[in-house]
Amino acid sequence: MFRWLLDQGGLPGIQKKNQKKAALLYEYLDDSRLFSGTAAKKDRSLMNVPFVTGDKDLDARFTAAAAEHGLVNLKGHRSVGGMRASLYNALPYDGVEALVSFLDKFEKETRSCISINVYTPFRKQGFPHIRRTTRATQRWPGR
């Protein structure tokens, strides 16, 4: 293990890689209209990135669809819900790219099929009580 760590550039090398992985995922979550991170920017972890859709049923659909695509163990903690991506040291950058790609695909497929919460910008500005939603005219495929 120690040799592997040295091969990665030691602690500074690992820190840089972990910052790059977390930045990729947080950047996507910050720009997403469907998914949003649950941790304040000042409290964000490089290792565990919790996020939600704002709908428990949609969270469950996402974790099931992700598992079908080989992205497993994304279900959030039972007391918090949502999802959690663990970006541990050994996870390669390609793994985070695959997750972000799937998040984007799921969002695009879902956006035209179900209600999408558009209150995320309000919540990010400190107005958690404002909840506006818009309903799409199509139904979720297979329902």
Side-chain angles (χ1 to χ4, degrees):
M1 179 66 170
F2 188 66
R3 188 169 309 278
W4 176 85
L5 182 62
L6 290 176
D7 291 344
Q8 304 303 309
L11 292 178
I14 286 292
Q15 180 179 10
K16 187 175 181 179
K17 288 179 180 190
N18 288 340
Q19 288 170 333
K20 184 178 176 185
K21 291 186 298 187
L24 176 64
L25 182 52
Y26 282 123
E27 182 178 323
Y28 177 81
L29 293 173
D30 289 344
D31 293 339
S32 175
R33 291 186 62 207
L34 178 62
F35 299 100
S36 60
T38 59
K41 285 189 179 188
K42 66 181 181 67
D43 298 325
R44 289 179 170 178
S45 168
L46 295 179
M47 291 291 128
N48 290 300
V49 180
F51 58 100
V52 296
T53 63
D55 180 283
K56 290 180 182 182
D57 292 335
L58 191 54
D59 289 353
R61 286 187 198 130
F62 171 77
T63 54
E68 289 175 9
H69 285 81
L71 300 166
V72 296
N73 298 324
L74 290 171
K75 188 174 180 181
H77 190 274
R78 67 182 177 272
S79 66
V80 179
M83 286 75 64
R84 179 184 67 186
S86 296
L87 311 179
Y88 297 126
N89 293 335
L91 178 72
Y93 187 78
D94 293 352
V96 181
E97 287 179 316
L99 174 59
V100 169
S101 176
F102 185 75
L103 286 163
D104 190 53
K105 177 184 176 202
F106 186 85
E107 179 173 346
K108 286 176 181 171
E109 290 174 354
T110 305
R111 186 180 304 153
S112 65
C113 299
I114 63 168
S115 295
I116 294 187
N117 294 323
V118 293
Y119 64 89
T120 300
F122 294 102
R123 189 172 70 234
K124 289 179 181 176
Q125 293 175 15
F127 302 102
H129 58 284
I130 297 176
R131 296 181 65 117
R132 292 184 7 203
T133 59
T134 177
R135 175 131 345 245
T137 57
Q138 298 175 347
R139 292 175 52 93
W140 178 262
R143 282 179 82 190

